[in-house]
Amino acid sequence: MPEMLPHATINLIATRCHLALQAMSNSSGTSSTARTLLEVTIATSVLAELGYGAVSEVTARDAEDAVRRSVESGLATGRWHLDEVGAHAICRIVEVFEAQLASAPASDVEAAFTTVKKLGVG
């Protein structure tokens, strides 16, 4: 049986995601919280492609667009936030991601984040 992530690690990663989502939803985000949400969005898509959970192309695109809008706004105005549509898409991503963390072997989660780093995001 493949090695799974320890529950404490899953909880830590999930907490980081929820804190980033909350900060961005409250307009108190930063470039770091935007990066966290982009990393999670990409990792979730990679894990879905590996067979762990499902993310529609629309949800993934909406989430990526939401982060892009957040970055544009943050760089232009210093206000890092998600609009309602973006927050909804990111919520769906985080929901799927949490399930993926619990079901995917640690090696596949690591591979997903390696892909994120290769894309220059992580």
Side-chain angles (χ1 to χ4, degrees), residues 35-97:
R35 176 180 288 260
T36 294
L37 296 179
L38 182 57
E39 289 172 353
V40 168
T41 298
I42 295 169
T44 300
S45 293
V46 171
L47 288 167
E49 288 175 11
L50 292 173
Y52 304 104
V55 177
S56 73
E57 287 183 39
V58 171
T59 299
R61 186 177 54 249
D62 287 350
E64 289 173 10
D65 288 347
V67 174
R68 180 188 46 76
R69 288 190 307 273
S70 171
V71 169
E72 289 171 353
S73 171
L75 292 173
T77 68
R79 183 173 176 246
W80 296 81
H81 69 285
L82 291 171
D83 57 30
E84 188 175 330
V85 171
H88 179 73
I90 297 287
C91 280
R92 177 68 182 126
I93 291 289
V94 170
E95 178 184 329
V96 172
F97 185 61

Side-chain angles (χ1 to χ4, degrees), residues 1-5 102-107:
M1 177 175 248
E3 183 180 342
M4 304 302 285
L5 290 174
S103 64
S107 59

